[in-house]
Amino acid sequence: MKTSKQNSLLTSISLLIIFIAFGCGQKWSEENKGDYSLVINQDGQTLGYSPASGVKILTINRLAFKDLNKNGKLDSYEDWRLTAEERAKDLASRMSVDQIAGLMLYSSHQAVPSGGGGFMQGGTYNGKPFAESGAKPSDLSDQQVKFLTDDNLRHVLVTSVESPEISARWNNNIQSFVEGTGLGIPVNISSDPRHGSDSYAEYNAGAGGRISMWPGTLGIAASFDPALMKKFGEVAAAEYRALGITTALSPQIDLATEPRWSRFDGTMGEDPELTADMARAYVDGFQTSTGIEHISGGWGYHSVNAMVKHWPGGGPEEGGRDGHYGYGAYAVYPGNNLKDHLIPFTEGAFKLQGPTGMASAVMPYYTISYNQDKKYGENVGNSYSKYIINDLLRGEYKYDGVVCTDWMITADATGVDKFEGKCWGVEKLSVAERHYKVIMSGVDQFGGNNDKGPVLEAYQIGVKEQGEEFMRKRFEESAVRLLKNILRTGLFENPYLDPEKTKSIVGNAEFMKAGYDAQLRSVVMLKNNPGTLPLKKQLKVFVPKRYTPAGRDWFGRETPENWSDPVNLSIVSKYFEVVEKPGMADFALVCIASPSGMTGYDPGDLKAKGNGYVPISLQYGIYKADFAREKSIAGGSPFETFTDRSFKGKSVISRNAFDMKMLNETKTQMGNKPVVVIVDVLNPMVFSEIEKNASAILVHFGVQDQALMDIITGFSEPSGLLPFQMPANMKTVEEQYEDTPGDMNCYVDSNGSKYDFGFGLNWKGPISDERVTKYKN
């Protein structure tokens, strides 16, 4: 019979055994979320995995880890306690050349669901078009399954999505699919900018939307406030991550020194210092995670990799012609000023204030940076240039992030005016040879290529020239860079999304308000005759219709003629009484766009025995290029028999010349009554044709009509400043240097205001505050 002391001892021992057993057990728990499970580590990362993928959970030292390669043991790349660098190197060493080749691909544009055609490459589902397939919108298309399996592709560019919830479910499907394949490498989903404003949409305080709407980056730059740009980055990153997007193919930080360039409106203006500050703020906002979202080094579950573009600056296109086409293949430097174009990168995106340090990816532009390679003497597209990438970017500026080509640079081209491959300067190389040249220049990834075949051919070319050991090392070097961007954003631990949470984040009321407030701050008032603005509500307003003639869009597709209301009249009617005739109105509201519709190339000119090259005009009316160069700086293409691309003496007219006619006729009809002009600006423009007939002028860079109504009625005071110059005439446009900022004569209006960089009005007159002091003076 045991004594009470013995019973007490046995009880204590039993409790100790239970305590030890409990303490030595797993320190994680699992939650079933339907199509995926969450594993919550008490002292570590939360894991997400799909039971359907076949992945199991390993318990090591009481902590949970995903056995992604299903070998029953914890490998270094699966160990979330190690650094991204350590894990990436381990995984790269385990990958076959085939798998690395797939990692080096970046898909063509993918819609969710994939139901389109043409440029966006419509997909099929079990061999049928989406509409006939019975598939769910979140299912993977046949083409997506193929490039994920056969080509080992792991970087996917997403365009349109049916809804935020569908995007989340598609993300879960694609991540589950690849989790069960090979080494279990997650998909890095990317997006071009998707936060533009729908001008017709109504903003209601406290209401949500499909995604928050902001002005374009040129509009945010017009605030001259980097803090606003950072706020945009933070909001956009939160919405991107809720959609499954972990890489932004942005920001576009090309210095906008050539006012005729068709991509001018995607930039942050022409000033190096302002653009550098805005670029830094944008990347910090996108890449930085804090609090519970933070993993390490500023990276985490809020982070979105920023792929800054376009190195070494796509702005100085000769004559403004764009590098998507062979007629715009050359960037020129008549001012010998490449250095200014590097500043947004080297002093902005590569010198962050936040802990991530620098932008994690860079995209070179299509262009040939003409005669800038002083070492090897090559004039080839930037991604093909060993000097531009290896020597300048990686060597001089010590950049060791991902470098990804722009889309379709290795594909064949058949003419200078075809929207096809963009293999400028290397047209005579084979597709495989182009891939090899890109790899040897220091680039890691091929944009718009779903096919690993040419990458493997390039590897074999390298093996013959350099040896197997060299090429294996070179491929692993790129693999490590690419894998780090996937690891640092937490995708290896948990790539899955809760669709209901996605729905609550994307376009929530707080984000919508932030975007709307930014729109108000982006509008620039250039002119305001005394007593014109702000206007009283419920005045009678006449809004003339806009006419757009038939033509072709940027991709060369035919567009029909069109008469339309230039603003949402239902929005306008909440502020004013809309009338049908000018004589009935108290004022006219004329909404136009800057002169547009010119590319700098006309096949008709070629047929008329010209060279095909014509001016790009920044005025509405007929323009004859009397002051253009006698001979172009650059030229030459296998598809042309000449090298001189001069357009001197040729004439063009803006496609939207009716805007000028509409405005001037409206002024005649209104007599002495005010004519308020609102211009949607894509490029700088010559105001001499219209300014005198405007009582007030506001310019914007993509905002909702409601924001414009709030400003002209005084609900909000204009505060934006021009982030670029407005030219006095086309003579100064032709005589300015494509690579030099601030070198035009600026337009001076009838009130004596000079439309220069940093100019803008508020209700009191010209704005002169700390922003102007910092950036203009």
Side-chain angles (χ1 to χ4, degrees):
M1 187 172 180
K2 296 183 178 69
T3 64
S4 59
K5 182 180 286 190
Q6 288 174 321
N7 282 332
S8 177
L9 180 61
L10 287 172
T11 300
S12 299
I13 291 172
S14 298
L15 290 173
L16 180 61
I17 291 171
I18 293 170
F19 175 78
I20 292 172
F22 179 79
C24 291
Q26 65 185 33
K27 296 180 69 176
W28 55 269
S29 59
E30 185 166 345
E31 297 179 8
N32 186 337
K33 294 292 184 179
D35 54 355
Y36 69 97
S37 293
L38 283 183
V39 175
I40 303 166
N41 276 302
Q42 186 177 328
D43 297 317
Q45 296 297 318
T46 294
L47 312 179
Y49 78 104
S50 169
S53 71
V55 164
K56 305 297 183 184
I57 297 298
L58 301 174
T59 300
I60 308 294
N61 294 331
R62 302 186 303 170
L63 298 172
F65 301 87
K66 293 162 71 173
D67 184 13
L68 291 167
N69 60 5
K70 307 182 187 71
N71 66 353
K73 64 179 182 178
L74 180 64
D75 298 303
S76 293
Y77 84 91
E78 299 165 333
D79 189 346
W80 44 259
R81 297 168 300 184
L82 301 180
T83 67
E85 180 87 16
E86 291 171 316
R87 298 174 70 186
K89 286 182 176 178
D90 175 71
L91 179 51
S93 71
R94 297 172 184 273
M95 296 176 72
S96 67
V97 172
D98 267 34
Q99 289 170 324
I100 296 177
L103 194 66
M104 296 170 75
L105 304 177
Y106 224 124
S107 82
S108 57
H109 299 71
Q110 304 294 310
V112 179
S114 182
F119 174 64
M120 293 305 174
Q121 297 190 10
T124 58
Y125 297 77
N126 291 322
K128 298 179 180 179
F130 174 73
E132 302 171 13
S133 67
K136 297 177 182 177
S138 58
D139 287 347
L140 303 184
S141 71
D142 299 334
Q143 291 74 22
Q144 290 162 1
V145 170
K146 179 185 181 302
F147 65 56
L148 292 170
T149 52
D150 295 354
D151 295 289
N152 299 309
L153 186 147
R154 291 297 181 271
H155 293 78
V156 178
L157 171 58
V158 167
T159 54
S160 61
V161 295
E162 184 172 298
S163 70
E165 302 98 294
I166 294 299
S167 181
R169 295 187 188 282
W170 179 82
N171 169 84
N172 290 352
N173 286 338
I174 198 169
Q175 299 295 6
S176 174
F177 184 84
V178 297
E179 189 176 69
T181 304
L183 295 165
I185 300 172
V187 170
N188 183 349
I189 299 171
S190 72
S191 174
D192 281 311
R194 58 195 313 120
H195 281 84
S197 296
D198 176 359
S199 61
Y200 266 48
E202 182 176 1
Y203 170 70
N204 294 300
R210 288 180 65 86
I211 197 166
S212 63
M213 291 187 285
W214 297 69
T217 50
L218 190 58
I220 301 177
S223 73
F224 277 50
D225 182 6
L228 182 62
M229 187 68 83
K230 185 179 181 182
K231 177 65 175 178
F232 164 69
E234 292 168 344
V235 169
E239 293 185 308
Y240 273 27
R241 289 306 300 259
L243 293 168
I245 296 165
T246 44
T247 292
L249 302 186
S250 58
Q252 184 188 337
I253 60 176
D254 306 293
L255 208 58
T257 52
E258 170 44 62
R260 295 164 290 189
W261 186 32
S262 63
R263 299 192 69 178
F264 189 101
D265 65 311
T267 72
M268 299 176 181
E270 66 177 313
D271 182 71
E273 183 181 359
L274 177 62
T275 302
D277 287 351
M278 290 290 177
R280 184 185 308 110
Y282 186 110
V283 178
D284 269 334
F286 265 86
Q287 291 190 171
T288 306
S289 290
T290 59
I292 61 172
E293 305 292 341
H294 181 250
I295 297 174
S296 178
W299 292 96
Y301 294 103
H302 177 84
S303 301
V304 173
N305 294 290
M307 186 180 290
V308 293
K309 56 189 186 185
H310 304 87
W311 178 265
E317 304 262 18
E318 184 162 20
R321 301 182 297 270
D322 182 63
H324 277 81
Y325 292 88
Y327 56 66
Y330 292 98
V332 295
Y333 301 84
N336 194 29
N337 193 33
L338 175 63
K339 65 180 186 302
D340 271 0
H341 292 264
L342 302 182
I343 288 173
F345 297 89
T346 61
E347 304 305 312
F350 298 169
K351 288 187 179 179
L352 303 182
Q353 292 178 343
T356 62
M358 65 172 59
S360 63
V362 171
M363 181 187 293
Y365 204 40
Y366 297 117
T367 45
I368 297 168
S369 296
Y370 189 67
N371 285 349
Q372 296 307 296
D373 178 358
K374 310 299 184 185
K375 186 172 181 181
Y376 309 104
E378 283 192 308
N379 276 313
V380 292
N382 290 314
S383 288
Y384 293 102
S385 172
K386 185 177 180 181
Y387 172 75
I388 293 293
I389 306 301
N390 187 68
D391 293 23
L392 191 63
L393 177 60
R394 296 213 186 275
E396 184 172 344
Y397 293 107
K398 312 299 181 187
Y399 184 78
D400 194 38
V402 167
V403 178
C404 177
T405 74
D406 212 328
W407 262 232
M408 296 173 60
I409 74 156
T410 56
D412 289 329
T414 61
V416 297
D417 62 338
K418 304 291 194 300
F419 193 78
E420 301 171 326
K422 298 127 187 27
C423 48
W424 314 139
V426 295
E427 291 92 340
K428 295 182 180 180
L429 296 181
S430 70
V431 172
E433 288 169 337
R434 291 174 199 150
H435 281 76
Y436 178 61
K437 187 170 179 61
V438 166
I439 292 167
M440 296 307 291
S441 77
V443 174
D444 303 300
Q445 197 167 31
F446 299 91
N449 181 6
N450 297 359
D451 181 8
K452 70 181 179 184
V455 184
L456 293 175
E457 289 183 66
Y459 183 85
Q460 292 303 324
I461 293 172
V463 169
K464 290 178 182 178
E465 291 191 4
Q466 311 287 345
E468 180 91 38
E469 183 179 354
F470 176 92
M471 286 307 295
R472 173 73 202 193
K473 181 179 179 182
R474 174 65 192 87
F475 265 46
E476 284 194 27
E477 182 180 52
S478 286
V480 168
R481 293 178 183 135
L482 292 161
L483 290 167
K484 280 163 62 176
N485 285 0
I486 305 176
L487 284 157
R488 291 186 297 201
T489 52
L491 290 178
F492 273 83
E493 276 58 72
N494 183 21
Y496 296 98
L497 300 172
D498 179 346
E500 288 303 311
K501 186 176 180 181
T502 291
K503 185 177 179 180
S504 70
I505 292 173
V506 179
N508 68 44
E510 177 187 351
F511 292 170
M512 295 296 288
K513 183 179 187 305
Y516 190 76
D517 289 346
Q519 292 179 48
L520 294 172
R521 294 180 60 187
S522 72
V523 177
V524 182
M525 184 163 68
L526 296 179
K527 183 179 182 180
N528 189 21
N529 285 347
T532 303
L533 297 180
L535 294 162
K536 293 181 180 179
K537 284 190 171 185
Q538 301 311 314
L539 290 175
K540 295 179 179 180
V541 61
F542 170 65
V543 184
K545 290 183 179 292
R546 282 189 73 200
Y547 171 69
T548 305
R552 292 184 180 275
D553 65 13
W554 196 74
F555 297 107
R557 298 172 297 201
E558 290 187 0
T559 56
E561 69 173 1
N562 180 47
W563 283 93
S564 62
D565 293 319
V567 288
N568 185 340
L569 294 183
S570 66
I571 295 291
V572 176
S573 65
K574 294 184 178 182
Y575 295 80
F576 306 106
E577 181 183 345
V578 180
V579 297
E580 294 184 0
K581 297 180 179 180
M584 302 168 59
D586 298 308
F587 77 100
L589 180 64
V590 180
C591 300
I592 59 178
S594 55
S596 64
M598 294 159 282
T599 65
Y601 189 83
D602 181 7
D605 178 76
L606 192 64
K607 291 178 181 178
K609 298 186 178 180
N611 64 0
Y613 292 86
V614 294
I616 295 174
S617 176
L618 300 181
Q619 68 182 42
Y620 292 107
I622 294 174
Y623 166 65
K624 185 179 180 183
D626 289 329
F627 301 99
R629 292 188 180 105
E630 292 283 351
K631 185 177 181 180
S632 67
I633 293 174
S637 165
F639 311 114
E640 295 175 335
T641 58
F642 54 86
T643 58
D644 184 8
R645 296 180 167 189
S646 175
F647 48 81
K648 185 177 174 66
K650 297 180 183 179
S651 298
V652 292
I653 186 170
S654 168
R655 185 186 176 198
N656 61 331
F658 182 84
D659 282 2
M660 174 182 67
K661 181 175 183 289
M662 174 179 68
L663 168 56
N664 294 338
E665 287 182 352
T666 300
K667 173 58 181 173
T668 299
Q669 294 168 333
M670 293 299 294
N672 293 325
K673 295 178 183 179
V675 176
V676 176
V677 178
I678 295 175
V679 189
D680 183 356
V681 171
L682 300 179
N683 291 82
M685 58 182 285
V686 176
F687 271 93
S688 59
E689 298 171 303
I690 62 170
E691 177 269 320
K692 290 181 176 61
N693 287 331
S695 308
I697 300 174
L698 293 97
V699 300
H700 70 92
F701 311 96
V703 301
Q704 293 169 254
D705 294 338
Q706 185 173 346
L708 297 168
M709 297 304 104
D710 277 345
I711 287 176
I712 66 175
T713 56
F715 178 80
S716 179
E717 184 172 16
S719 62
L721 303 168
L722 283 177
F724 53 84
Q725 296 180 313
M726 292 291 189
N729 47 52
M730 281 303 298
K731 180 177 184 291
T732 193
V733 172
E734 297 289 9
E735 293 176 347
Q736 58 89 34
Y737 286 167
E738 286 94 335
D739 63 333
T740 304
D743 63 342
M744 292 193 295
N745 295 321
C746 297
Y747 181 72
V748 178
D749 71 13
S750 54
N751 293 335
S753 296
K754 186 178 182 180
Y755 295 179
D756 202 351
F757 172 83
F759 174 74
L761 301 172
N762 57 23
W763 302 140
K764 296 177 182 178
I767 297 171
S768 181
D769 55 23
E770 66 280 358
R771 299 174 300 161
V772 177
T773 301
K774 179 176 182 180
Y775 291 107
K776 183 173 174 59
N777 299 337

